Amino acid sequence: MNIRCQKILFFIFACLCVTGIHAQRGEKREYRPFPFSLQYYEIADDKEFDSTTLDDLHAHGVTNIWIRDCRSEKSRDIVRRFQKEGFRIDFMTHGHENFNRDETPQISVYHPDYESAVRKNVERGLSQISELQAIDYVFPYIDEPFHRKPYLDYSKATRAEFRRRYGYSMPKSFEEACRKPKTQLDFLNFQSTIFRDGWIKTGRIVREFDSRARIAITHDSHNVYGGGVGSNSQMAMDDVYYWGGDYADLFVYDIYPYLTFDYRYGELGIYRKPRMSQLHYTMAQLRNMTTAYGKKMGFWVGTYNKAWFVRFRGKERAAQFWSEREILYTAIAGGADYIISPSDYMGHNLPVDSNHWNEYGEGMRIIQKEGMAITEAPKVKANACFLFPRTQYLLMQEEYYNVGLSYELFLRAFGELDIIHEDQITDETLNGYRALVLCDIKMLPEQVAQHIKHFVERGGTVIADCVPHLDENRKNSRTMSDLFGVCDAGTERIIRAGQWVPFVNLASKFSFPPTNGETDSAYKFDTVTDVEPNMQVVSSRPCKLINTNVQITSDHGVALKMVRNIGQGHAILFGFCMQDTYFHACKTENEAALCTLYDWVRTAFDETGVISHVRSSNPDIEVGLRSSNEKGYLFVINHETFNPYCNIQLRQLPGCIAKVNDVETGVPLAWNATEDGIVIETTVAFGKTQLIKITYQ
């Protein structure tokens, strides 16, 4: 089928959806497409515009064009043609907030002249958008800066603002701030806040300049998800939840662990399985922030293109033509309501690889059959959450990023898992979650620890692989040890440094290698012969048993699973490092060990009565659920397994099932009712995805 025919068919389908109107529970809704923006960047004046480009974009479900410049008459004419064809325009700028990635603000964010400088930047940089009739999002910020140690603002106005907020003089250096825990926290929190305060002021000025535009920002760095130590930012300081959401309408996730490298430290970055661990972990953090602040989450789906990934292009990734479709579904399943992609449309040409582009388009056409109806069914809030410990991250200056493997283990075993930030634990309700997961957490503010204790006493479940024994003053705390019924619990894990960069056209290397050349400390193994087959654990964490029941013990006598019932709730402690043990099982391709780990985690939830809304019987096939009270969408994604079979268990649904359909074919799917939900049996082949629609009565 040629491009013209594809466009005509897509147009007819859209018209039928608009004129036919979907009727759901008696309510009529007009069809609207899912927002899909494609980068057009600076429009090239030295190339003639190919009208088949418009056909191709329509055929692939594109709704928006992302541009950076349209100053010449020729480029403005091209943009007018896009708008006439029905495309919305997203406008990118070079950043107007008056600071960049590598230097402190030229004028302090707190200086009286700061807003005047920003206003001049906005007036100059956004002058073109007055000519745009179909403006959608404006990107007025640079991607978030890197907080290197030299990148700290000690200017007079900034020091005055610090004194106003904290009542004492700002330390003259990071080293001086680290002499006292409270001063260290104040200093790092304040320096990180400079970005947010600058963005808030810039956003207000942009809205004053053109009230039509919705504001977007791209968060593209692993540094803000726990990976700041010893990497691009060098230090632990920034995270997306702490920055909040008061300065934009759309927050776009933009790092590519699935195309280049995943930024995990040490050996974990060389052996990149499970390949989706860091994507799931970091996207959950951004989703937590956007959900808490009532904002939209977007996602940059990186494409196999020569402009952005020239150093990583090769036969292996060229053969992975399914990767864009895989990530598209992963992103939307994870809560993204807006998709944007880079392309090779730098002139007016097709992308460099038609296989990648065509498979991506096929996946997007299936999404566009439902369009914006998908965004009206939000990502279902999980019953369990995973804690991000900001105080530990800042005070200990240790990466909290490799723990993404622990997150992935719990996600696969339980079926769903959100992130909760330490700052969100303000009482014993824990935002309505039923279970809290703590992995590699050694330090918690005392008040947070008390809230968690009361959460358990009131019926909550806490599952951990490490006992937090320090408070925010670096002093010993008994709160969590008493909760788990142990003392002197170990916290050992493998220390890893350096991030592996698997260049294709250059020599692979460790980025930011450790000074002593040691990327990974020694492994320490223990075994469990009481299970079949024998299980090997890495980095066991011995403790003294005070008041808990031991369910699993290693051959060396280390308690590996302890359960304590307290009040109406449960405190479960695993006596080994989850991320180290899970990684070793993945690295050695030990399926028996992986199954044992999944079973241990799943049992921990099941025996406390905490159930998930969705769970896949095949851990290598992701199933994500979005649902409203009227309809639900299941995204089924094969993450590189040749076992296509999957039973999907759905529970705690908002209504009785009327029908279940495959969106691509429209064919009804069989399902079986269970005591508390339904089970759908499906198959998704290697490199494929499936979208299932559930309609409630």
Side-chain angles (χ1 to χ4, degrees), residues 95 111 198 237 329 355 403 517 590 647:
H111 193 280
M237 180 182 294
Y329 279 58
N355 288 329
V403 74
N590 190 331
N647 284 333

Side-chain angles (χ1 to χ4, degrees), residues 37 64-67 88-92 136-137 139 338:
S37 187
N64 290 32
I65 301 297
W66 184 94
I67 64 173
R88 303 281 293 171
I89 304 299
D90 296 324
F91 192 80
M92 175 63 182
D136 200 355
Y137 285 104
F139 289 70
Y338 168 97

Side-chain angles (χ1 to χ4, degrees), residues 152-156 158-159 170-174 187 191:
L152 298 171
D153 189 356
Y154 298 99
S155 65
K156 182 178 179 180
T158 298
R159 286 187 283 110
M170 188 175 78
K172 297 181 176 62
S173 68
F174 173 68
F187 179 77
Q191 288 285 339

Side-chain angles (χ1 to χ4, degrees), residues 329-344:
Y329 279 58
T330 302
I332 300 177
D337 289 332
Y338 168 97
I339 295 296
I340 185 168
S341 279
S343 76
D344 286 326

Side-chain angles (χ1 to χ4, degrees), residues 275-276 280 326 330 620-622 637-641:
R275 189 168 51 90
M276 290 293 113
H280 287 145
E326 174 195 24
T330 302
D620 293 317
I621 294 182
E622 176 184 353
I637 308 146
N638 185 318
H639 289 307
E640 296 182 273
T641 176

Side-chain angles (χ1 to χ4, degrees), residues 579-624:
Q579 64 164 286
D580 289 350
T581 303
Y582 186 45
F583 172 71
H584 183 68
C586 291
K587 175 188 172 185
T588 56
E589 299 183 356
N590 190 331
E591 290 297 325
L594 290 172
C595 289
T596 298
L597 284 171
Y598 293 139
D599 181 65
W600 284 357
V601 171
R602 189 179 300 117
T603 300
F605 285 105
D606 289 346
E607 65 190 9
T608 60
V610 180
I611 64 174
S612 58
H613 296 92
V614 59
R615 187 162 72 188
S616 167
S617 65
N618 186 338
D620 293 317
I621 294 182
E622 176 184 353
V623 179

Side-chain angles (χ1 to χ4, degrees), residues 220-283:
D220 83 331
S221 171
H222 53 289
N223 303 307
V224 300
Y225 301 109
V229 178
S231 68
N232 291 93
S233 68
Q234 298 183 23
M235 62 198 306
M237 180 182 294
D238 304 316
D239 76 68
V240 290
Y241 183 84
Y242 179 75
W243 278 339
D246 293 335
Y247 47 90
D249 304 297
L250 172 71
F251 293 80
V252 189
Y253 179 104
D254 179 29
I255 57 177
Y256 304 118
Y258 43 90
L259 278 182
T260 54
F261 54 108
D262 63 10
Y263 304 98
R264 294 190 299 197
Y265 291 77
E267 189 183 18
L268 273 68
I270 299 176
Y271 188 88
R272 298 174 60 241
K273 290 186 178 181
R275 189 168 51 90
M276 290 293 113
S277 64
Q278 303 313 109
L279 172 59
H280 287 145
Y281 172 61
T282 53
M283 184 167 59

